[in-house]
Structures are given as structure tokens and as C-alpha cells.
Amino acid sequence: MKSYIKIFVAGLMLATTASCGDSFLDTAPAGERTSGSSQTMEEAQSLLTGCYDGYQQAYCYGGAHFLIASELMSDNCFAGGGTDDNTNFMALDEFERGYVSEAGMMEDYWKAYYTTINRCNSLIASDASTDWKDDEVTHGNVIGQARALRALCYFDLVRIYGKVPLLSEPSVSKIKEAEPAETFELIASDLKFAADNINFGPYNEATWNSINNGLISEWAAKALLARVYLFYTGYYGAQLEAVTESEVKAGLESIISNGGFGLLDDFSSLWPASSRVAAEDGSHAWAIDNYAGESNKEILFNLKFDSNLSQGTNQNGMIAMVSMRNTTFAPYATGWGVCSVNPRLYTTYLPADRRRDASIINLAGEGITNSDKFNTSNNWREYTGYSIKKYSATGFNDGTRWIDIETPGAGADWQYKESQDMVVMRYADVLLMAAEMGCSNAQGCYDQVRDRAFGGNTNYRRNITKENILEERRLEFAFEGLRYWDLLRIQGLNAAAAILAANQNGTVVQSGGVDATVSFSAENMVNKQGLLLKPQNQITLMGTDYLTQNAGW
């Protein structure tokens, strides 16, 4: 059975929703507590749970959240979905305003981020008025995690939108959007504080399963700080004042030397759908289940989800969206077919690379298209014959989803059931960032990831180069939301746009059973500076003196 972070106590929740008038965000608390009043350490811990809960909302079911958008903007996936669906996914995939069907596209996620930011700000602001009982470990853990969560929200926002309002304390006033450099300084400062003040200690399986599962440790903060540093310095070509290169490298090396993490022997065991084989007798059981679980030695931070406790607010929004459209074929369960996989990604893997078949469903190769379970009803948009396996729902040929067996009573609507955790940071990323930055034993770090991919066969090793690092990251982290941002930071905007065009254009897809040829405009992406459309409703609410639309949209 899953273990969950408990849902935030309603009486302590800081409700934060957009409203009319002069307020940027309505931050009146739903209960009696306000950020300026004194509170106990236990109340501060409950407020922290609310911060995690808020961050979870930014990835729940309902559309293109950050991870889905990141994959659509990359060369890993096309829009997919149904021929009768709205075209917002196509707008993200092609950077094309003409496909936008809603003025508030992705607005719910925008609101979720700022709800979380204000919860974090309120908790951080209450630090001095909290009775910590001289427990400096708990004190550092709570405030450190709150600052790390605030950093994660801003890191998503600034990459997608560029200039965004920057709030570092509780506020109901309109705040003008900040330059990205200012936002990144706050992000880096928050993560550095978290890395220095959180103290969970080295990874221990029992502790991580029972206590630390789904929480941001000092190790996760150090790794996330490295991700932020590499993006900012790579894409913007400038240094951060909040943290130095040597400090970032030291953080990565400390994770490797002291964190207690490691790679799993089998890459496929990271993902439920690649770890399971259904029993041949048709029962609701697995003949093979090698899934390592949502907490294991390779996971530094995973975002927790639950099954339908409240429709649309607790489940992993990735699962139902990207699972095969109208097709249940054990061990896979049906979904909406969003993010259809680019066939050129599949062929980029060498046949011996075990990550390929652990990451991607090959519908023809696995016998799905020739079975009576394959039922697209000719309404799958941009069908390619390949689908995401890492975040595919799992189930049985009679249509029963595994979540119904794992969590009986999860609810009637399959769209709101899936609770597989979302991986935010893996140890493999620590190793590849350490290799990229030239940390101690950089080549050995790179070799560990490459060797694992080929089942320990060292004949596939390669030297560290910018090109090899970029490709290795694509193959290792496909569908984990990193490819697009890696292209931008390593290649720059213009070169990234050219690569996206070269890797997508000319690909034949089927929409409603009719062949079509992909045509991606690099010029479209460059004109929009690689950024997305800000929710127009928020611009209307704020006014253009405070919030402006991105160029080209």
C-alpha cells in the first residue's frame, strides 16, 4: 500500500486565489491563523504540509502542467490526444498562437504555483514567531523545505514564462513582474539555504520509506541547486551571486560521497509499467513485478500523489493524459494518448540500450496493434505507434486498472485514480551533472549511468563531450521534463530551435487515421523566445503595468 503525506488541515490552509480589485492574490486565511501570530512548532509543521499539498496541485489532472508542457516543447513528443480535443496541446508543441483555445491556458497551474508560493511565504514569515522549543533540527528542516518548495515553484514559472511577479513575503498587493535574473537569485538563495539547513542524514531505506518519502532533503536541495545553476549559467551566460560554481560542485560531490544514494541495477525497475508482466490466467495479478517502489535509493525527491480523495486535486495528472488512447493491453491501462512519442527518439537508442524499452511502448513491436485490445476509434491525434511507458497506467486486459486492486475504493472515475509518484530528482542526474561540471571522477560518474543502461556491458562507454552529455541526458531522462531545458541551456535558443526542427520535421503521423507530416517552425519558437503564453486572464486581472504578455504570442 502507498504511504502519503497527509492532506493539509483545512483550518490552517492559507487560501490563495486570484480575485478582482487591487489585490494580486487574495491571501486571507481560511481559518483563524494568520502569519503574524505566534504558533507552535507542530502548527508550523502542519503549514509545511500545506506547502507540499499546494505544490502537488500544480501537477494534478486537468491539462498541460509543467512536465507535460516541457515534453511537448521538446523533440521527444508531439501533441497527441484526441481529434476532437481542444488544440491547446498543439499550441504548446508548435509555439503557435492560432491553436490556443482558451484565454486562460494553463491558468489553473499558474494559480496553484502562486497559492503555494504564498503558503511558503507565510510559513517563512512566521519563523520568528514560532516556538521551536530549541529544536534546531526541526527548525532548519521546516523552513528549509518551505524555501525549497518556493524555489521549485519559481523555477518552473521562470523557465516557462520568463518575467513573472516575484513575491518573497506574504502580500495581497499587485507586484510587477521581475527580470529572470532577480527570480533566479531568489531560487538559488532558497535552495542554498535548504541545502545548508535541512538535516535528514544519509539515505536509509527504512527511514526514507516511513518518514522522508516525498520530502525534500538536504541532498535533494543540493542537486536541485545544481540543476538551477546549470540552467541559469548556461542559458543566460551569467553567474549567480547567491552561489558559486565551486559550491555547486561541492554539493554534488557530497551527495555522491556522503548521501548514501546509488543507481538501481535495473533501469526498468524505476517504473511500474516497465516492471510488470500480467499473469497468463487472466487474474488481477502480476506474474512478474520488479518495481522498486516509489521510495528507493535512486530517488532523491519524488512528488507524492493519492487516489481520488478529492477529484482533480490529489492524483498524478501525467498518468491519465499520456497513457495509450482507448487501449488497454496488459500491463498497460487506457488514457488520453497525449504526448505521442516521436519515432526518432525510439530509433536514437541503440537496440542494446535497456532504457529504450523501459521508457517507450512500441505498439507494433509489443503486439498491441494486432490485438483486439487496440482501439483508437480513428480519433487519436498525431498517433505515431509509440507511447510513453514511464508514466503509463497499468492494468489488465479486462479493463481493470491496477490502482483498483492496490487501493480498493479509489473512485469510479479512472481519470482521477492514478497515484504513481512523479520523479523530480534521481541519482542518475546527480552523476551526469557531476560529469558535466567536471567534478571528481567525472568520467566515472558518466560511465556509471552508461554502463547501467547496457546491463553492465562496458563496451558502450563514451568520452565526456558536450554532445555526448546532451544525448545521454535525453536517453536517460526521456519524459522526465528535462530535454527541452537541456537543449536551451547547452545549445542556446537558436541552435535548440534548429535541433527541434531537424528532429521532428518530415515525421509522418496519423490524425483520425489520416497521414500527416510534421512541420515544426524554428522561427516560431525563436520569435517567442522559447517561452509560453502567459494566461491572458491573469494579465487582464493584473493590468499591463504589472504583467505583460510574452513576445510573439
Side-chain angles (χ1 to χ4, degrees):
M1 298 294 289
K2 292 171 65 67
S3 102
Y4 308 111
I5 294 176
K6 299 300 181 185
I7 299 303
F8 192 35
V9 178
L12 295 177
M13 185 182 299
L14 296 178
T16 317
T17 56
S19 62
C20 297
D22 292 332
S23 296
F24 166 51
L25 292 169
D26 178 6
T27 55
E32 294 299 319
R33 179 152 310 285
T34 60
S35 60
S37 60
S38 61
Q39 65 183 359
T40 66
M41 182 171 66
E42 291 75 18
E43 287 171 332
Q45 290 172 309
S46 292
L47 289 171
L48 176 62
T49 305
C51 297
Y52 276 103
D53 181 62
Y55 185 57
Q56 178 198 64
Q57 306 313 301
Y59 286 88
C60 283
Y61 181 77
H65 55 58
F66 178 83
L67 180 53
I68 291 175
S70 297
E71 288 302 320
L72 291 176
M73 290 189 290
S74 80
D75 49 359
N76 287 343
C77 299
F78 303 124
T83 54
D84 295 328
D85 293 347
N86 71 45
T87 52
N88 286 342
F89 292 120
M90 298 179 71
L92 302 175
D93 185 26
E94 301 182 29
F95 293 89
E96 178 51 63
R97 180 67 174 86
Y99 286 126
V100 176
S101 62
E102 299 168 344
M105 187 176 73
M106 297 181 70
E107 184 178 18
D108 286 345
Y109 300 116
W110 173 285
K111 291 178 181 178
Y113 282 123
Y114 278 106
T115 295
T116 307
I117 288 165
N118 270 282
R119 289 180 184 178
C120 293
N121 285 342
S122 294
L123 175 52
I124 295 164
S126 71
D127 184 1
S129 59
T130 300
D131 179 7
W132 295 106
K133 302 178 182 178
D134 295 323
D135 186 343
E136 289 307 311
V137 172
T138 299
H139 181 192
N141 286 349
V142 170
I143 301 302
Q145 288 174 81
R147 292 188 62 169
L149 286 166
R150 181 173 68 180
L152 283 173
C153 290
Y154 275 126
F155 190 38
D156 285 0
L157 286 166
V158 73
R159 282 182 291 171
I160 289 179
Y161 298 118
K163 294 181 182 180
V164 294
L166 184 63
L167 292 86
S168 57
E169 57 186 30
S171 174
V172 295
S173 301
K174 292 181 180 179
I175 304 294
K176 286 188 176 182
E177 57 192 9
E179 293 295 329
E182 187 178 353
T183 303
F184 271 99
E185 287 294 349
L186 178 65
I187 294 168
S189 176
D190 277 348
L191 288 173
K192 189 172 186 298
F193 179 93
D196 292 342
N197 288 275
I198 300 173
N199 184 17
F200 285 4
Y203 172 81
N204 172 278
E205 183 177 359
T207 302
W208 247 253
N209 281 336
S210 61
I211 299 174
N212 298 340
N213 187 9
L215 302 181
I216 300 174
S217 67
E218 63 268 39
W219 316 107
K222 291 174 182 179
L224 291 165
L225 181 58
R227 181 178 288 175
V228 168
Y229 178 87
L230 284 170
F231 183 82
Y232 182 77
T233 57
Y235 184 66
Y236 291 96
Q239 290 296 315
L240 288 162
E241 294 181 5
V243 67
T244 65
E245 179 181 5
S246 61
E247 288 174 321
V248 172
K249 291 170 69 174
L252 291 173
E253 291 176 349
S254 72
I255 298 170
I256 294 169
S257 299
N258 305 313
F261 299 93
L263 297 179
L264 297 180
D265 293 336
D266 183 357
F267 180 85
S268 68
S269 65
L270 284 162
W271 319 104
S274 61
S275 302
R276 291 169 173 164
V277 176
E280 293 184 2
D281 61 5
S283 62
H284 297 154
W286 303 119
I288 299 174
D289 188 357
N290 293 327
Y291 182 40
E294 294 170 327
S295 177
N296 60 68
K297 68 177 182 179
E298 188 163 341
I299 305 299
L300 272 73
F301 176 48
N302 54 353
L303 184 56
K304 303 297 297 181
F305 290 98
D306 203 348
S307 297
N308 208 33
L309 290 180
S310 177
Q311 181 168 299
T313 60
N314 298 294
Q315 75 297 317
N316 186 336
M318 188 81 171
I319 309 299
M321 298 304 295
V322 307
S323 297
M324 291 186 294
R325 188 172 184 83
N326 298 333
T327 302
T328 295
F329 184 95
Y332 316 121
T334 190
W336 293 123
V338 172
C339 292
S340 54
V341 176
N342 186 347
R344 296 183 190 179
L345 171 59
Y346 186 85
T347 57
T348 298
Y349 289 93
L350 294 174
D353 191 333
R354 299 184 179 186
R355 294 173 297 193
R356 184 191 69 179
D357 294 337
S359 303
I360 302 172
I361 301 172
N362 177 348
L363 277 79
E366 297 188 31
I368 299 171
T369 55
N370 290 329
S371 77
D372 59 2
K373 302 299 179 184
F374 182 59
N375 177 27
T376 66
S377 299
N378 288 325
N379 70 351
W380 198 335
R381 177 188 288 155
E382 294 186 314
Y383 168 72
T384 64
Y386 299 92
S387 188
I388 294 175
K389 187 178 291 189
K390 284 184 179 179
Y391 285 110
S392 173
T394 56
F396 305 94
N397 284 332
D398 66 357
T400 301
R401 302 174 85 86
W402 171 245
I403 193 66
D404 291 323
I405 308 302
E406 182 185 36
T407 310
D413 193 335
W414 61 267
Q415 299 174 94
Y416 301 102
K417 290 182 179 182
E418 298 298 340
S419 58
Q420 177 185 337
D421 287 352
M422 187 176 293
V423 175
V424 180
M425 177 63 68
R426 291 198 281 119
Y427 185 65
D429 203 355
V430 173
L431 292 174
L432 289 182
M433 288 191 292
E436 182 178 345
M437 294 192 73
C439 291
S440 301
N441 193 26
Q443 184 65 52
C445 291
Y446 179 78
D447 290 344
Q448 285 186 58
V449 176
R450 186 100 177 142
D451 290 352
R452 195 260 300 267
F454 292 92
N457 188 336
T458 60
N459 292 324
Y460 292 94
R461 288 184 175 180
R462 302 191 298 187
N463 292 327
I464 296 174
T465 65
K466 181 180 77 171
E467 293 73 22
N468 286 347
I469 285 285
L470 182 61
E471 181 174 295
E472 203 66 41
R473 291 184 62 82
R474 185 187 190 194
L475 301 176
E476 179 72 22
F477 304 118
F479 320 122
E480 296 178 55
L482 300 182
R483 168 65 172 176
Y484 180 72
W485 312 110
D486 284 343
L487 278 173
L488 284 180
R489 70 178 180 82
I490 293 175
Q491 299 290 0
L493 176 60
N494 290 290
I499 291 170
L500 291 177
N503 287 346
Q504 296 179 91
N505 285 344
T507 303
V508 176
V509 298
Q510 285 190 339
S511 292
V514 178
D515 284 352
T517 302
V518 173
S519 178
F520 176 86
S521 170
E523 182 181 6
N524 245 11
M525 174 181 162
V526 172
N527 287 344
K528 295 173 178 63
Q529 300 175 356
L531 301 173
L532 291 184
L533 177 79
K534 293 176 184 175
Q536 188 60 48
N537 292 339
Q538 290 295 310
I539 296 174
T540 300
L541 169 70
M542 292 277 290
T544 53
D545 288 341
Y546 292 89
L547 188 63
T548 58
Q549 190 54 269
N550 283 323
W553 286 101

